[in-house]
Amino acid sequence: MASPAPQPAPSSALLRELATLLDAPGLQTGDAIETRFRKDWYAPLGAVPPLAVVRARNTQDVAAVLALCHRLRQPVVPQGGLTGLAGAATPEGGELVLSLERMRGVEEIDAQAGTMTVMAGTTLQAAQEAARAAGWLLAVDLGARGSCQIGGNIATNAGGNRVIRYGMMRDQVLGLEAVLADGTVVSSLNKMQKNNAGYDVRQLFIGSEGTLGVITRAVLRLAPLPSATQTALCALATYDDVVRLLRHAQRKLSGRLSAFEVMWADFYGLVTTRVPGVRAPLPAGHPFYVLLDLQGNDASQDAPVFESMLESAMEAGLIQDAAVASSHKEAQSFWQLRDAVAEFPVMWSPNAAYDVSLPIGRIGEFAETLRTRLLAVWPHAEPVNFGHVGDSNLHVSVYLPGATDLDFPEHEISDVMYGVVREFKGSVSAEHGIGFHKKPYLHCSRTPQELGLMRLIKRALDPHNILSPGRVFDLD
Amino acid sequence: MASPAPQPAPSSALLRELATLLDAPGLQTGDAIETRFRKDWYAPLGAVPPLAVVRARNTQDVAAVLALCHRLRQPVVPQGGLTGLAGAATPEGGELVLSLERMRGVEEIDAQAGTMTVMAGTTLQAAQEAARAAGWLLAVDLGARGSCQIGGNIATNAGGNRVIRYGMMRDQVLGLEAVLADGTVVSSLNKMQKNNAGYDVRQLFIGSEGTLGVITRAVLRLAPLPSATQTALCALATYDDVVRLLRHAQRKLSGRLSAFEVMWADFYGLVTTRVPGVRAPLPAGHPFYVLLDLQGNDASQDAPVFESMLESAMEAGLIQDAAVASSHKEAQSFWQLRDAVAEFPVMWSPNAAYDVSLPIGRIGEFAETLRTRLLAVWPHAEPVNFGHVGDSNLHVSVYLPGATDLDFPEHEISDVMYGVVREFKGSVSAEHGIGFHKKPYLHCSRTPQELGLMRLIKRALDPHNILSPGRVFDLD
């Protein structure tokens, strides 16, 4: 199947046809294009504006626009809340932006099935709040909840803080409606937990970053809403102890461990001394800190279980010190340590931020190896390590004191980083995706055969390569 | 992309080449073909034997055989433990059987990562036992555990009794090695919980019933091994109460509800009066019975939580009666009720057995509607209802007293059954798959667009249609 490089369509014909398909608020062209559609969070503003912005009202609009673009070979970039960190939704010059922001709302909560049917443009927070109001938990949660949209969460297979208990976005999606590159609407709005009727076509679209179809609607799994949380911060001496504590807590709390966030000494020292308003519940100087919680339904039953888990960990020498939150407010102050990461781009700019995953047992050694390699090149580099270690996910932020935007060697740092990821058989992206930013490094985590299979799928579903071309991988 | 009907290859050339690729125990032809390779559990023996049986030693054998078959357009049927219930692994005349049974063994248990790397031909039970010996739980479990193989469990996305807590086989697969139709080995042996580095190519093979590739190896997620189980049998008055008890138990046991099996009065009456050795822990005559359990790690903590959950359900009027197992032995006797289903094909033959799924809130109404429709045609029909209702999965067994193998109207019963499934927006297969048996009914649960997408994927991955042709759906 041929896959020619996308050719710019005769744009006047395209714009004329779009104008007949859409209502007035549904199409922005030329100077009327709002700047907000021109970039996602970490991407610079594209040099050339997109050809136009379509703000679809419904699935029919999406289908009509894609059928037209397929016919005219017009590249299209679907956009959700524009909070992505890999640049996939930032349009290149000449591309058509397809925004889902007008397609928002919770269509149904089925309290018996434990499902929620949501339009793709609904913000995560709006969906979470609707679930909560009906007595349920929509379990995926992340910092951008107020802006990010369900469609984007699915297209990027979002992760966040609760993956250890509830899985990633993929695990919340029971049903999906998506529009293929040629405008075919594939409606697979399944509400069942089990459905082995043929291939699971949902899976194609989840995590494909807008390159295989445009997600328009989803049926999401809801979880029972927990009503009581126990939170602790622990200090540990070695990374091996971190892993032993993880397994100890999973066993003792059977099914209720709901977060296991690890902060290396470098991270803890930085946020407790330099981020305003963040207090240190435990003294600095320990090699590792673990923030963990149990979510359950009855504090009087859960608190003794949680404390006994911590006591036995301390008796076994896994923990050097621990602080248990005595109130919701104190638990929130523990979480401020972890959430201080939101300040990093502001306080330590320029820096290079990474989202990698590694086999859990090797993350400690990985962080040490990386530090050694970085310091060998940049003796003053400050790598800062933290992450969802219970999910095999490490975030690393690398700061070079004195560097400026003009001379910050981001590519060279990335080369070192992803070289070590490859050695440790890790992934260059745990949860943020590939987009444009990590495309040059995808081969560090994927074999030529895996990449060949990805290209085969892309060519089959989007033969003219109109959907988010150039994201994730190149075709040739 | 053209997809011609598979043409039989010049078989002498094929057999000659196979003999050079394989060792002596690796190839059976003609009269030397063992009968066991000619059928899976519920399929009749094919009229014509397969062309040959290949018993691969390793992934290289699989790759070489598939490359050859791709070149010669030779249809191939991969076989696991032959315990499938949809007939997908039963060879048609002229097909080549590719057995994975020699590729068995647990290659690694990574206790820090919480993963197990297993060859495809390993039985589920051998993998479970290896996990348990290392202090872990491989959470998928089903009756055929002693015979079924991990590769087949993955290819059919197996379910079973613990899905409500741990998910299906799909949810246990972290990494996969599979061989494509043309012999390309796609090795994606990821150990991480999170990996968003490009498309999730694992998903293509899980649940595709041998039609998209041959699974040779997998990395499976392990769970903490529970050490204490609380089990109860409850009697309920209405299906609405069943759903309310499900949600009540999920909330109260937060994360530890590990089974929720429902038996309708028809099922309970039958197994307690007619299956030898099955006793009735509660009197017959209640409309519904629920068998549920909590798996945890400390009986002294768990038992009061479990009993308080049951007490509050009784106070709220959800439960009419309940029996709590006071010992492991008693819990096993409760489970004998549910496991008595294994006797159905023996004691009530012929019967038609179904594995459907429906939105949880509608299963009660579905069962009533189905009964009414069946009795309208066959006034003496005896439909028997039971299932993993917590996972939206209903099993129905239909017996017609007096019917024989010669006049049992299985197709007519299936037409009624799947017609009602379609009305209720259910799935014709919750966990057993489609294979040959349910292919005529796949359209009851899938739209033409979904089927078109499945065909597109099949054509892209297997352009000569050599892998399990004719299973799941036809290409034209």
Side-chain angles (χ1 to χ4, degrees), chain A residues 112 135 156-157 188 193-197 199 211 247 251 254 256 297 357 392-393 427 429 431 446 450, chain B residues 112 135 157 188 193-197 199 211 247 251 254 256 297 357 392-393 427 429 431 446 450:
Chain A
Q112 292 199 297
T156 58
N157 188 27
S188 198
Q193 322 292 315
K194 283 179 169 174
N195 186 347
N196 274 348
Y199 303 165
T211 63
R247 301 312 177 192
R251 279 188 172 73
S254 44
R256 289 168 295 171
N297 245 289
S357 65
S392 65
N393 188 179
S427 170
S429 174
E431 57 181 13
R446 294 295 194 179
E450 289 177 283
Chain B
Q112 291 199 297
N157 188 27
S188 198
Q193 322 292 315
K194 283 179 171 176
N195 186 347
N196 274 348
Y199 303 167
T211 63
R247 301 312 177 194
R251 280 190 170 71
S254 44
R256 288 167 296 171
N297 244 290
S357 65
S392 65
N393 187 179
S427 170
S429 175
E431 56 182 12
R446 295 295 194 180
E450 289 177 283

Side-chain angles (χ1 to χ4, degrees), chain B residues 11-93:
Chain B
S11 60
S12 58
L14 178 80
L15 295 178
R16 211 166 40 236
E17 292 205 46
L18 285 173
T20 67
L21 292 174
L22 302 161
D23 64 352
L27 184 62
Q28 298 183 1
T29 60
D31 292 343
I33 294 174
E34 293 172 70
T35 309
R36 65 192 178 98
F37 294 113
R38 290 180 59 185
K39 64 183 289 296
D40 51 18
W41 267 13
Y42 276 32
L45 200 66
V48 184
L51 181 69
V53 173
V54 167
R55 298 170 65 240
R57 286 164 295 191
N58 50 39
T59 303
Q60 289 66 37
D61 274 358
V62 174
V65 169
L66 288 182
L68 175 64
C69 292
H70 181 72
R71 180 156 55 81
L72 297 179
R73 315 289 192 258
Q74 167 61 44
V76 181
V77 180
Q79 282 188 352
L82 292 165
T83 62
L85 299 176
T90 295
E92 305 265 86

Side-chain angles (χ1 to χ4, degrees), chain B residues 235-251:
Chain B
L236 298 89
T238 70
Y239 183 76
D240 273 356
D241 287 343
V242 170
V243 179
R244 289 164 65 207
L245 177 63
L246 168 66
R247 301 312 177 194
H248 172 77
Q250 285 182 312
R251 280 190 170 71

Side-chain angles (χ1 to χ4, degrees), chain A residues 14 50 56 96 125 190 200 233 271 296 298 325 355 361 390 399 411 458:
Chain A
L14 177 81
L96 185 74
Q125 187 171 329
N190 167 71
D200 188 345
L233 181 74
V271 301
D298 186 333
D355 155 54
Y399 176 61
H411 289 299
K458 170 69 174 173

